[in-house]
Amino acid sequence: MQSGPHNAITDVPGILVGQVERVDPPYLTGTTVVHAPGTAVAGVDVRGGAPGTRETDLLAPVNSNGGVNAVVLTGGSAYGLDTAGSVMRRLEERGEGVRVGQGEYDVVPIVPAAVIFDLARGGDFRARPEPSWGADAFDAATDGPVALGNHGAGAGARARSLKGGVGSASVRLDDGTTVGALVIVNAAGSTVDADGNLYGARLGLGAEFGQLRTPVEPAPPAAPGRNLIPGPSMNTVIAVVATDVGLDKAAAQRMAMVAHDGLARAIDPIHTLVDGDSIFALSTGPAGEPRLSVTDPAAIGQLETVFAAGARTLSRAIVHAMLNAESVQTPAGAILSYRDAYPSAFRTD
C-alpha cells in the first residue's frame, strides 16, 4: 500500500476540497468545504459530548435521502453552521441536489455540516466565519493538494496545549481502491504521549514520518486562555473519510463509526463531554453500480479492509495536521506548534 499522489482526501476520485480562513487579528478561524459533484452516499457518526451539526439525521440508513452534495467543516461553533446555507445556494446555481421539480434548478442540495469551538480564539467573540465563507470555500474547491495546518477550519484549532489544524492523508489499497481522510484537529485531548511523540506517527506508511525522533524537550505548559470566555474548555475534532468503492448507506455509516478508532489512536483522551467529535463518511462509487452492503457476507472482507484503511488514514491525517500547524500569537498568549514546542523531534542524527 502507498499514499495517493497528493496524500490527501482529494486523491479519492469525485472529491474536491476548498478552504478559506482569516488570521488577521482579531480573527483566527475558517471554513473547509468537501464537495462531491454528482453526490456521494454518506454516513455519519457523532460521539463527542458537545456536538454542533446540521443535517446528520438525514444520513441515517433508515431515512430516504440517497446522498450528499457537500460537507462543511467550519469554525465558529454553532454560529458557523450558517456557512452551509451559502454552499447550498452555490449548488442550486449548478442544479446539484435532490430534484424536486421539472425546472433545471428545482433542486434541494444536501449539505451536512459540523463545527469546532474556536470562538474568541483570535481575541474577539464576534470574529467568526460569515455565512458567505461557505460559498467562498466552495468556489475554491479543487481536486489538487490540500493546504494543511492553519488553513480553513483549522486556522484557530488547537490540541490541548499545542496548535492544531487541518490534516489530510490517503492510501491506495492493493485492489486499486482509494481511501482518504480530512480532519480538523481541535481536541481537548493531546496528540502527543508523555515523551512528546505523536501518537499517530507509528501508523505512517513506509517512511512517511521517518524523520521524527523522540524529542528531548519537556512537555510545554498548558497554554493560557484556551477560551477567552468563562466556562469549561470547548473543543471538537471533525472529519471526513472517503472512498471510491461503492458503499450503501449502512456501510457508509459503519465506515464513519470505525473511523473513530483512528481518532482514539492519535488523540488521548477522545470523545469527552467538551468535545463534539463527529465523522462523516463518503462513497463516490459510480451511480447505478452495485454497492457493498453490511448484510452481504461476501462483502465483509472488502468492507473491513476499507473501514480499517479509513481509520488508519485518519490517524495519519491527524499527524499531518500537527506537523503542518504553525505557532500563533493570541491575546491570551502564544499557542505553540508541535515543531516549535519539540524542535529536537526533527533532528537528523
Side-chain angles (χ1 to χ4, degrees), residues 11 33 72 92 177 190 219 227 262 267 292 327 332:
D11 290 323
V33 172
V72 175
E92 179 187 22
T177 295
S190 177
N227 305 306
I267 300 171
L292 300 179
S327 300

Side-chain angles (χ1 to χ4, degrees), residues 21-261:
E21 64 279 333
R22 281 194 67 175
V23 296
D24 54 308
Y27 283 88
L28 193 58
T29 188
T31 299
T32 300
V33 172
V34 178
H35 179 203
T39 75
V41 173
V44 66
D45 192 57
V46 179
R47 298 198 183 183
T53 58
R54 162 181 164 145
E55 295 277 38
T56 51
D57 287 351
L58 197 62
L59 306 186
V62 296
N63 292 331
S64 61
N65 175 65
V68 304
N69 302 102
V71 175
V72 175
L73 308 178
T74 184
S77 190
Y79 294 103
L81 292 173
D82 284 346
T83 59
S86 65
V87 176
M88 287 188 68
R89 286 188 289 276
R90 280 289 190 270
L91 289 162
E92 179 187 22
E93 293 165 359
R94 299 161 63 107
E96 294 185 40
V98 176
R99 187 149 298 281
V100 294
Q102 299 303 311
E104 182 179 0
Y105 305 108
D106 294 349
V107 296
V108 178
I110 306 301
V111 185
V115 302
I116 66 167
F117 188 98
D118 60 0
L119 293 173
R121 208 153 275 173
D124 185 343
F125 186 86
R126 294 186 179 181
R128 53 191 183 238
E130 298 291 338
S132 62
W133 290 19
D136 294 341
F138 181 90
D139 292 342
T142 74
D143 62 357
V146 175
L148 306 180
N150 299 18
H151 292 276
R158 63 187 295 169
R160 187 157 287 186
S161 296
L162 298 175
K163 182 68 180 72
V166 58
S168 197
S170 70
V171 64
R172 291 274 173 85
L173 303 180
D174 293 341
D175 65 358
T177 295
T178 302
V179 177
L182 184 145
V183 63
I184 311 299
V185 182
N186 186 59
S190 177
T191 59
V192 300
D193 64 20
D195 295 320
N197 298 301
L198 288 159
Y199 284 119
R202 69 189 188 281
L203 297 172
L205 290 178
E208 184 174 21
F209 305 122
Q211 81 277 21
L212 296 176
R213 302 290 184 268
T214 298
V216 298
E217 294 87 0
R226 177 179 293 277
N227 305 306
L228 296 184
I229 61 175
S233 301
M234 299 179 185
N235 309 279
T236 293
V237 179
I238 51 180
V240 177
V241 292
T243 182
D244 56 351
V245 73
L247 305 177
D248 66 11
K249 286 185 71 175
Q253 180 170 333
R254 176 61 64 172
M255 184 176 182
M257 293 170 64
V258 175
H260 277 279
D261 294 347

